[in-house]
């Protein structure tokens, strides 16, 4: 849950090199390893297998090749090449065509122009093949530049892209109006990062209240709106409000993360709602995994049991 101290703690751990090495050793080694609850595997074929299983349950998906905060241009080019291969592999496999990516994975910390160029290369391969490309939102130092890059690409005629807004940030309601006016697609989330009180609500109740306000604006004024949360209270409130506004379930989609609340995913689909699962995969899974632990410290017990149960 959005407890700010536990989020901060896990963000600190996410930067630990020792933990990353240990995690990489134990986390994904076997088919039943602990990290596999949240991550589909280390290579694209495993992700495609997971996507097939998701489709068999009547759900849609977006695939995320994990990676972020690369520190050199070589790493950024390598990530871009890998993404191009992922696009080709997905297209060849016949599963649904959607990917999510992060701008710091494409070199934003090193050189903005290169990151934009890398994203453009991916879009030029993905859009003609009918992919939808979602730019994930990273922590608040990247909000401005992410919006700016999204708007630049939109201005250049790219239409099969969307971005993410976080209800935790004070600014997000204004950003939502800005993206809605443009005609862009928003995935609404609460926000996975520990943020200072100068820019973000600290109390769960405030983040939730902003989430509900933004969800309503998104459903009324947005384009391909995506409501991304596992929070049953939010989901029920949004379903009920949409019914009273006569917004039918085909006009928006819910989104959830791979491995979280599968029961709720199934229930929504059974009730006629559209549901997309975010399927992360790849070798750089450690920071993503630590964010999931930070959201729900109960997950830590599951990891400890996993490690104890694995042996060497
Ligand atoms: P909340 O944290 O209140 O949790 C509600 C309930 O969901 C919990 O009670 C529990 O049952 C379940 N739950 C939540 N997290 C869990 C976990 N880790 N393990 C087990 N159960 C859990 N963030 C971001 O900053 N940028 C981004 O680009 C994205 N992208 C994104 C895509 C998609 C499809 C989703 C669903 C989420 C994101 N997020 C994200 C993450 C998001 O910001 C947020 O951190 C998580 O979704 C958790 O918040 P909830 O809305 O689920 O609510």
């Amino acid at each position: 849950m959005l407890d700010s101290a536990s989020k901060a703690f896990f963000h600190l751990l996410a930067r630990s090199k020792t933990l990353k090495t240990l995690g990489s050793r134990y986390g994904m080694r076997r088919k039943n390893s602990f990290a596999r609850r949240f991550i589909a595997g280390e290579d694209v074929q495993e992700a495609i297998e997971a996507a097939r299983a998701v489709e068999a349950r009547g759900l849609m998906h977006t695939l995320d090749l994990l990676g972020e905060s690369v520190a050199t241009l070589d790493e950024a080019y390598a990530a871009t090449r890998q993404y191009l291969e992922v696009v080709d592999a997905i297209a060849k496999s016949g599963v649904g065509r959607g990917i999510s990516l992060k701008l710091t994975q494409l070199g934003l910390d090193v050189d903005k122009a290169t990151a934009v160029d890398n994203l453009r290369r991916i879009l030029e391969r993905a859009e003609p093949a009918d992919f939808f490309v979602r730019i994930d939102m990273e922590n608040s130092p990247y909000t401005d530049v992410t919006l700016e890059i999204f708007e630049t690409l939109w201005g250049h005629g790219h239409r099969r892209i969307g971005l993410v807004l976080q209800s935790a940030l004070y600014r997000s309601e204004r950003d939502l109006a800005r993206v809605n006016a443009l005609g862009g697609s928003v995935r609404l989330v609460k926000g996975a990062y520990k943020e200072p009180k100068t820019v973000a609500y600290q109390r769960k109740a405030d983040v939730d209240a902003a989430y509900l306000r933004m969800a309503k604006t998104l459903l009324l004024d947005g384009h391909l709106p995506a409501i991304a949360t596992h929070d049953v209270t939010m989901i029920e409130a949004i379903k009920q409000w949409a019914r009273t506004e006569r917004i039918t379930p085909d006009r928006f989609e819910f989104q959830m993360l791979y491995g979280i609340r599968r029961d709720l995913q199934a229930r929504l689909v059974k009730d006629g709602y559209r549901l997309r699962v975010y399927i992360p995969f790849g070798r750089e899974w450690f920071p993503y995994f630590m964010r999931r632990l930070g959201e729900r410290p109960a997950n830590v017990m599951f990891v400890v049991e996993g490690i104890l149960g694995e042996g060497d």
Side-chain angles (χ1 to χ4, degrees):
M1 298 282 283
L2 282 160
D3 172 71
S4 138
S6 72
K7 258 191 178 179
F9 178 63
F10 283 96
H11 280 264
L12 198 71
L13 294 187
R15 291 203 288 273
S16 155
K17 290 214 166 66
T18 314
L19 268 185
K20 185 174 180 192
T21 311
L22 271 175
S24 307
R25 182 163 174 211
Y26 290 106
M28 201 70 84
R29 213 168 42 174
R30 299 197 191 131
K31 278 281 173 207
N32 60 354
S33 298
F34 60 84
R36 285 187 186 268
R37 170 171 167 193
F38 300 111
I39 292 134
E42 289 200 338
D43 66 53
V44 67
Q45 290 311 326
E46 288 177 291
I48 288 170
E49 251 177 65
R52 285 214 174 89
V54 159
E55 288 180 4
R57 291 164 50 218
L59 317 176
M60 305 174 290
H61 50 76
T62 176
L63 265 58
D64 171 34
L65 169 63
L66 291 166
E68 55 197 88
S69 310
V70 306
T72 65
L73 285 182
D74 281 349
E75 286 174 278
Y77 292 134
T80 308
R81 278 195 304 276
Q82 278 179 350
Y83 249 112
L84 293 173
E85 286 166 18
V86 164
V87 166
D88 291 344
I90 295 174
K92 193 166 159 218
S93 75
V95 299
R97 298 180 178 197
I99 53 173
S100 295
L101 47 75
K102 290 184 173 54
L103 291 175
T104 65
Q105 182 178 18
L106 305 183
L108 186 58
D109 285 335
V110 194
D111 178 49
K112 182 178 151 195
T114 304
V116 175
D117 216 48
N118 286 341
L119 178 54
R120 197 178 293 131
R121 282 173 59 203
I122 294 170
L123 287 172
E124 280 164 5
R125 179 82 59 95
E127 279 184 325
D130 237 12
F131 274 72
F132 190 84
V133 179
R134 178 80 61 183
I135 308 171
D136 285 346
M137 188 58 85
E138 299 179 68
N139 49 338
S140 59
Y142 298 102
T143 314
D144 259 330
V145 69
T146 303
L147 274 149
E148 195 192 301
I149 290 174
F150 171 76
E151 286 174 347
T152 303
L153 291 166
W154 189 268
H156 289 158
H158 293 285
R159 288 294 178 272
R160 297 203 50 85
I161 51 171
L163 85 175
V164 178
L165 293 177
Q166 301 150 328
S167 72
L169 300 189
Y170 305 137
R171 59 174 289 164
S172 290
E173 291 184 64
R174 288 192 308 279
D175 291 338
L176 179 60
R178 180 169 151 188
V179 182
N180 282 348
L182 203 64
S185 165
V186 168
R187 170 201 292 154
L188 178 63
V189 302
K190 291 188 187 178
Y193 299 86
K194 165 72 185 145
E195 299 284 1
K197 61 173 180 283
T198 45
V199 300
Y201 300 111
Q202 304 295 306
R203 292 173 48 233
K204 175 174 163 56
D206 294 331
V207 176
D208 287 356
Y211 194 94
L212 264 188
R213 287 195 301 275
M214 288 181 69
K216 290 175 183 177
T217 308
L218 184 57
L219 292 195
L220 285 176
D221 304 332
H223 306 267
L224 305 175
I227 306 291
T229 181
H230 318 88
D231 187 332
V232 186
T233 312
M234 294 291 114
I235 291 172
E236 283 309 316
I238 291 162
K239 277 165 59 182
Q240 197 179 337
W241 178 83
R243 266 195 303 272
T244 58
E245 294 294 317
R246 298 188 193 286
I247 297 170
T248 47
D250 56 320
R251 286 180 39 205
F252 62 99
E253 64 184 43
F254 287 111
Q255 296 192 352
M256 292 190 202
L257 300 175
Y258 183 77
I260 300 184
R261 294 304 309 258
R262 278 173 56 124
D263 55 331
L264 185 55
Q265 297 174 11
R267 201 174 342 132
L268 285 166
V269 169
K270 187 167 157 283
D271 290 346
Y273 290 92
R274 289 147 41 87
L275 195 297
R276 188 177 304 276
V277 179
Y278 180 104
I279 304 180
F281 72 98
R283 298 179 65 84
E284 292 301 318
W285 52 267
F286 189 71
Y288 174 90
F289 182 66
M290 292 310 274
R291 283 196 290 276
R292 301 295 77 84
L293 294 192
E295 279 156 3
R296 194 160 174 268
N299 287 337
V300 174
M301 274 324 289
F302 153 83
V303 172
V304 172
E305 282 162 18
I307 293 175
L308 293 178
E310 292 235 327
D312 198 350

